[in-house]
Amino acid sequence: MMRALSRAILFVGFLLAPFLASAENASLYLRPASGTFTAGSTFEVGVYMNTGGNNANAVNVDIQFPPDKLQVVSPNLGKSIISFWVIQPTFSNSQGTISFQGGVPPPGINTSDGYISSIIFRVVNVGPAVITIKDSSRVLMADGKGTDILGSRSNAIFSLKLPSPSGPIVVAPKHEDPNKW
């Protein structure tokens, strides 16, 4: 009796397994996630994706940054995992936004640390600056339905400071050897 019940439970479990299984969630994140930079300098922030063990074939990334502290100098596509760009990266320094959409041909891409793009920022003011991956971002699974599998987004926070004061510049054009004082 017990053996027959065990077989019945295994059979029912086998039938229901495809319906109970769920895909792992994908994530979008920024690297570096923190740092300290000085006013007037530039720095680069990479946008990365983990597909959570799934094949993904499309991504839409919308980013918000404080326009009173940072300006986009340029987006950098570099060696992106994205094969084709539906919308080339566009940005607005007045609104503090940058967006891009791209895809990968079938069967999609399965990655734990895939480089999508990077953004070069210029520091225009001091204070804390949070760069946010917005809720409107999407990672679509290559399942023929465009199932959004984005489960988490990680933001970055930067400390923006004034540059260290420099000392006076000493010039003595008539001195015999400028390396000896």
Side-chain angles (χ1 to χ4, degrees), residues 55-93:
N55 282 3
N57 65 351
V59 64
N60 171 47
V61 181
D62 296 321
I63 294 176
Q64 183 77 47
F65 62 90
D68 61 326
K69 295 190 174 83
L70 297 172
Q71 286 182 341
V72 172
V73 175
S74 69
N76 180 11
L77 302 179
K79 297 181 189 278
S80 176
I81 60 171
I82 303 302
S83 301
F84 58 91
W85 293 98
V86 177
I87 297 177
Q88 289 285 330
T90 57
F91 62 91
S92 168
N93 279 326

Side-chain angles (χ1 to χ4, degrees), residues 18-126:
F19 301 106
L20 297 175
S22 64
E24 292 293 317
N25 290 330
S27 60
L28 292 172
Y29 51 97
L30 303 171
R31 190 184 303 145
S34 64
T36 301
F37 301 98
T38 58
S41 70
T42 60
F43 66 98
E44 190 169 5
V45 176
V47 181
Y48 293 83
M49 173 174 64
N50 178 339
T51 61
N54 301 294
N55 282 3
N57 65 351
V59 64
N60 171 47
V61 181
D62 296 321
I63 294 176
Q64 183 77 47
F65 62 90
D68 61 326
K69 295 190 174 83
L70 297 172
Q71 286 182 341
V72 172
V73 175
S74 69
N76 180 11
L77 302 179
K79 297 181 189 278
S80 176
I81 60 171
I82 303 302
S83 301
F84 58 91
W85 293 98
V86 177
I87 297 177
Q88 289 285 330
T90 57
F91 62 91
S92 168
N93 279 326
S94 61
Q95 294 178 359
T97 59
I98 184 164
S99 300
F100 39 88
Q101 294 179 15
V104 179
I109 189 160
N110 186 332
T111 180
S112 61
D113 191 36
Y115 170 82
I116 297 172
S117 179
S118 64
I119 306 144
I120 299 171
F121 288 101
R122 174 176 286 113
V123 179
V124 295
N125 206 346
V126 297

